[in-house]
Amino acid sequence: MPVTAKGLEGIVANSTRLSDVRGDVGQLIYAGYDINELAGKVSFCEVIYLLYNGRLPTLRELGQFEGKLRHLRELPKGVVDFLQAAPKDAVPMDVIRTAVSMLGLYDKGTPDESGLDKNQIMRRCLDVTAKIGVIAAYYHRARKGKSLPPVRSDLTEAEHFLYLLNGEVPAKEAAATLDMAFVLHADHGMNASTFSARVTIATLTDVYSAVTAAIATLKGPLHGGANEGVIAMLKEIGSEDNVIPWLEDQLGKKKKIMGMGHRVYKVLDPRAPLLRDVAQKMTEQLGEAKWLRMSEKIAGYMKEKKDLNANVDFYSATVYYSLGLPTDYFTPVFAISRTAGWTAHILEQLEDNRLYRPLSEYTGPEVGLTVTPVEQRQ
Ligand SMILES: CC(C)(COP(=O)(O)OP(=O)(O)OC[C@H]1O[C@@H](n2cnc3c(N)ncnc32)[C@H](O)[C@@H]1OP(=O)(O)O)[C@@H](O)C(=O)NCCC(=O)NCCS
């Protein structure tokens, strides 16, 4: 008897050794490591290696892997031209989605993965992982009418992204903060965009198409956009004194408070306290404690009145804001990090591929209708 589950809720669509979200105990695991064990101890590059290979690299392996990624950063000229020609007021996620799709045009390999050439698939996964941050940063500079600095191979993923975005090598603390955010967002079970990537690659289309589908899915406000909403909310509230009256007003109108609650975590999202600690450090350094104090007040009130916990987006918003990232780049930063997870899932899907083809429950009219000639139809 087929099972019907709206939104596939509660359905196990496949198995994965990459990550596990344990919503009942508030645990996130990457390949056997609790996220609390990894955060602050490993770099984003080590996490990409972990997801691709199922284990952390040795020093030598890490050096080789970093070298490979860093030498793939340069974008094809056609993609750079597109980033410079794209409308200045476009949604960055739309531009990034289009540019990642364009990368496929400049790849001389076979047009799909039906030959299952492992070297080609891995090269494409590394290619898109190495280039997505460059695409995002270049578009920001292009829309501001600024020059595009040449890519460098002596900087980490986080350093390089901030360097391209701002035109100068970032302070160590800023790069370490972004690196930590990349680590925390790299993978998260069978979320919508990861599922999209797996469904797409399972047809044996190409890696660029699968990542393009994932970016398109992440763009939606039910998935990647909540952290931008958090900053909009903090700005609207404006002052610490206004936090409680504002929340009472919104909850009275049955409005959802951005950055609160989670579909899977019924206890605290384990990434939230890690980001709160980073946000605290950053605001102390920058002397801008107001946003964090307001955030803490919101979180305390929501816990007390609605028994709702802050999710990852609640504090990542404050962290990104303190880093000086443009608000409409919060979701692109998520996409840069999640490309690690998407491509690792693509590799895993292709190891033991099976086309996704669920059934649907037909709710149309009973069969037996007859066709009335078009000129006689009412
Ligand atoms: C993430 C989210 C979609 C999860 O939804 P969910 O698991 O379906 O939660 P429910 O809608 O079942 O909510 C249960 C109750 O908590 C309330 N609730 C859930 N999230 C809330 C929020 N952010 N603000 C206010 N109330 C909220 C619901 O209104 C509901 O109350 P009710 O029982 O009185 O109707 C939801 O919490 C939300 O919209 N959060 C804000 C957006 C956000 O931060 N998204 C990023 C997630 S990482």
Side-chain angles (χ1 to χ4, degrees), residues 9 188 221-227 230 250-251 254-266 269 271 302 306-314 334:
E9 191 165 346
H188 206 235
L222 290 187
H223 191 0
N227 51 15
V230 172
Q250 296 294 302
L251 293 175
K254 299 258 172 251
K255 293 260 173 75
K256 287 265 170 77
I257 309 304
M258 288 295 108
M260 291 289 145
H262 198 276
R263 174 57 58 81
V264 183
Y265 292 117
K266 292 309 164 200
D269 178 337
R271 301 165 296 176
M302 292 301 288
K306 302 280 290 181
D307 196 25
L308 285 171
N309 290 297
N311 60 48
V312 68
D313 290 315
F314 192 64
F334 189 166

